[in-house]
Amino acid sequence: TIKSDAVSEAVYVIKAVMQNYEDAAITVKISLTDKTPVTVSGAAAASGLTYDGTAKTGYTGTPSAAPYTGAFDVTYTGTQADGTVYGPAAEAPVNAGSYTVTIAVPASAVYAGSTSISFEIAKATVTIKVQDINALAGQAMPALGYEALGLVGTDALITAPTLSCTPDMSTEGVY
């Protein structure tokens, strides 16, 4: 075995002993070369990300690592706003939380390099709008209702708001 800083070589001689054939010797030379390090650049942390039900890559720009020209392995890790651990995953996160995206030259390439970028997905704002109601003096109090504005897709409130109003239903007025 011969080893230098950048190259490792190993020579193996395998001898095959056979009953009805002449013995054979096989020589195998294996050379290992270190990968060329590259700097992954061209990507910066995305800012102003807010939950909207869609995946967020967490970066802007186009990653590059010259002279490497292929695709990158992209991996996401982090913690969602509810404390749930996210990743490692190839899919960009959707939910509010703190994340890191790692952009790396694939292990199969002759180059090696990666960069990690931290980013946040902020919680969206939900507004609770109480529905106006009208009633005639002397009648029973009608049911109170509300509308949740800002929910995305099939998202729903975990806990419904408690609405209360105790008007004097025998007296005209705005309550």
Side-chain angles (χ1 to χ4, degrees):
T1 301
I2 303 166
K3 183 174 183 184
S4 70
D5 285 344
V7 178
S8 293
E9 293 182 345
V11 177
Y12 296 95
V13 177
I14 303 167
K15 186 172 183 180
V17 178
M18 298 175 267
Q19 181 178 357
N20 294 318
Y21 299 93
E22 295 205 19
D23 294 346
I26 301 169
T27 302
V28 178
K29 178 181 175 183
I30 300 172
S31 298
L32 302 175
T33 304
D34 286 342
K35 293 183 175 205
T36 303
V38 293
T39 299
V40 178
S41 61
S47 61
L49 302 175
T50 301
Y51 171 77
D52 64 4
T54 63
K56 307 290 184 214
T57 62
Y59 65 93
T60 60
T62 303
S64 63
Y68 175 73
T69 58
F72 291 92
D73 288 340
V74 179
T75 306
Y76 295 90
T77 57
T79 305
Q80 298 180 121
D82 68 358
T84 303
V85 173
Y86 184 83
E91 299 79 26
V94 172
N95 295 325
S98 300
Y99 301 96
T100 298
V101 56
T102 300
I103 303 167
V105 174
S108 60
V110 296
Y111 301 99
S114 66
T115 189
S116 293
I117 300 169
S118 295
F119 66 99
E120 303 277 331
I121 301 174
K123 291 182 176 185
T125 300
V126 173
T127 302
I128 305 298
K129 180 182 175 193
V130 178
Q131 297 168 338
D132 291 335
I133 56 173
N134 293 310
L136 296 174
Q139 291 185 336
M141 172 70 180
L144 300 174
Y146 69 91
E147 182 179 4
L149 305 172
L151 292 174
V152 176
T154 59
D155 288 354
L157 297 176
I158 294 172
T159 304
T162 302
L163 306 175
S164 66
C165 181
T166 54
D168 177 355
M169 292 303 294
S170 63
T171 306
E172 179 181 337
V174 177
Y175 301 94

